[in-house]
Amino acid sequence: MQTLKNILDAELDRLISIQHFQEPAVGVSSGFKYLDRAINGFRPQHLYLLSAAPESGKTAFLLNLLLSITVKKKNPAKALFYSLDISAAEVAQRLLSCNSGVTMEHVFYGTTKSEVIEKLYIDVDQIKDLSTNLFIEDYPSCSIETIRAQLTELKAQNQLPSIVVIDNINRIAVESDPTPESDDYGVIPASLIEQLKKIAIDFNIPLLISPETSPLDPDVETDRMPRLYVLRQKNFNLHLIDVVMFLLMPNYYAVPTGEDDINPGHVSRAGYPLPKGFSEMHLRIPLNRCGPITTVYFTANMECQLVYEDGV
């Protein structure tokens, strides 16, 4: 319980912080202007869910978010990333491609081009000091207990991150609540969301989680839009989640063009043809206890894993 005076003081502090730093006073800034406006930053003790259909660029979006939080923005913060789907080496490769603009093909498979190697060395040298802000845990089998133990250890070392991101929570084991045996792909243990929310509260940190569970209803053929009720059916306790975000990469109308540098199958929402390798990302926010129900728009260059916020 709070008095109105305390609430008003916190609001004034938030407005002053935005005036001076263009960042939320209470939460961790995402580094994306319109996303911060929508959710008021990532707030301590809050649980955030990012859900997407397969091949929607979810991991690329998360890595851009982490790079923005820990390296690129004016006031960098520490983050802990649980990468339960891909190795730490692949995370580093994707981040290197994203930050340098060098294509994933050159980073993954190498290149004989000296100028590309030089660019990568320069890029690493520029961010090497801030790169210590990001911790990566890639052990594919994880449990609530191990997450708690690691955060407790980091707190004791005065290294507790400002935000924790977990991709993918379907791999997290809950000892007292095993994953139900079901033919319905993507069902999670009934208590998993509650346990994750407790971690956010107990360690006073924002927790951003991402499942492999698709939010699409296979029985709805009229569109491919994500739906909240699909998550509810798979044990996602939405009343414990403060913000739900759906990441979409929409299909666009064909654009007749003969130019080689244009992807003829896609145009932006503004009607402009997108170059090869580029696509739009729409971040729909259908549940938001921190701001409005809205959509934030991005453009992604998937050849180098780079995501830009539109209108900035």
Side-chain angles (χ1 to χ4, degrees):
M1 186 180 299
Q2 302 179 65
T3 66
L4 176 59
K5 178 182 182 304
N6 291 339
I7 298 171
L8 291 175
D9 286 344
E11 285 301 304
L12 289 175
D13 289 342
R14 180 181 65 85
L15 293 172
I16 292 172
S17 177
I18 292 173
Q19 177 189 15
H20 289 290
F21 304 107
Q22 290 81 53
E23 294 187 3
V26 178
V28 176
S29 170
S30 68
F32 293 120
K33 177 181 177 181
Y34 294 108
L35 178 55
D36 277 347
R37 285 187 179 182
I39 65 174
N40 284 305
F42 291 100
R43 297 187 173 198
Q45 302 188 6
H46 282 51
L47 185 60
Y48 301 81
L49 175 71
L50 176 68
S51 182
E55 305 298 326
S56 295
K58 177 164 59 71
T59 299
F61 180 82
L62 285 175
L63 293 181
N64 275 264
L65 184 66
L66 285 165
L67 192 63
S68 178
I69 289 172
T70 60
V71 174
K72 288 187 174 182
K73 68 189 186 78
K74 291 181 179 179
N75 186 24
K78 289 186 180 296
L80 171 57
F81 180 44
Y82 285 92
S83 178
L84 307 184
D85 272 342
I86 62 176
S87 69
E90 186 174 340
V91 170
Q93 290 166 350
R94 293 191 183 203
L95 289 172
L96 189 57
S97 175
C98 166
N99 195 59
S100 66
V102 174
T103 65
M104 281 298 299
E105 182 179 5
H106 283 146
V107 175
F108 264 129
Y109 303 112
T111 178
T112 58
K113 297 179 180 180
S114 59
E115 63 273 17
V116 174
I117 300 297
E118 182 179 356
K119 181 175 176 58
L120 291 172
Y121 268 96
I122 292 173
D123 183 75
V124 170
D125 187 63
Q126 287 175 340
I127 68 171
K128 64 181 181 181
D129 292 335
L130 291 174
S131 62
T132 58
N133 286 337
L134 179 57
F135 300 94
I136 302 170
E137 173 59 77
D138 65 349
Y139 190 66
S141 180
C142 187
S143 69
I144 291 293
E145 289 74 17
T146 57
I147 293 173
R148 279 190 167 276
Q150 287 176 328
L151 289 174
T152 299
E153 183 179 352
L154 288 171
K155 185 176 181 179
Q157 298 170 355
N158 200 27
Q159 293 288 324
L160 188 67
S162 299
I163 183 171
V164 173
V165 179
I166 306 176
D167 181 38
N168 127 39
I169 63 167
N170 293 71
R171 291 184 178 271
I172 298 177
V174 181
E175 293 182 1
S176 60
D177 187 8
T179 303
E181 294 183 5
S182 171
D183 294 332
D184 189 4
Y185 176 76
V187 175
I188 61 173
S191 68
L192 179 58
I193 296 300
E194 180 182 0
Q195 295 291 336
L196 291 169
K197 179 67 174 180
K198 285 181 178 179
I199 287 176
I201 293 173
D202 292 347
F203 290 94
N204 195 34
I205 54 172
L207 182 55
L208 171 60
I209 59 175
S210 177
E212 67 180 358
T213 305
S214 173
L216 307 183
D217 188 340
D219 297 326
V220 177
E221 298 179 356
T222 55
D223 60 52
R224 297 293 292 164
M225 299 299 288
R227 289 170 166 82
L228 288 172
Y229 72 78
V230 176
L231 296 177
R232 288 193 185 97
Q233 292 171 351
K234 298 184 178 182
N235 288 341
F236 286 79
N237 300 326
L238 297 185
H239 66 282
L240 296 175
I241 301 174
D242 297 285
V243 179
V244 173
M245 299 174 282
F246 289 141
L247 188 65
L248 310 173
M249 295 185 73
N251 294 321
Y252 289 88
Y253 298 104
V255 180
T257 175
E259 299 180 25
D260 292 336
D261 62 338
I262 298 296
N263 183 349
H266 299 83
V267 298
S268 70
R269 64 191 179 94
Y272 299 109
L274 292 172
K276 285 183 178 179
F278 283 71
S279 60
E280 281 207 353
M281 282 184 172
H282 294 182
L283 191 68
R284 296 185 64 218
I285 307 177
L287 190 158
N288 190 359
R289 294 188 175 91
C290 304
I293 305 302
T294 187
T295 301
V296 184
Y297 298 96
F298 298 84
T299 299
N301 176 358
M302 297 309 292
E303 290 187 352
C304 60
Q305 301 286 290
L306 187 56
V307 176
Y308 313 84
E309 191 176 44
D310 289 0
V312 178

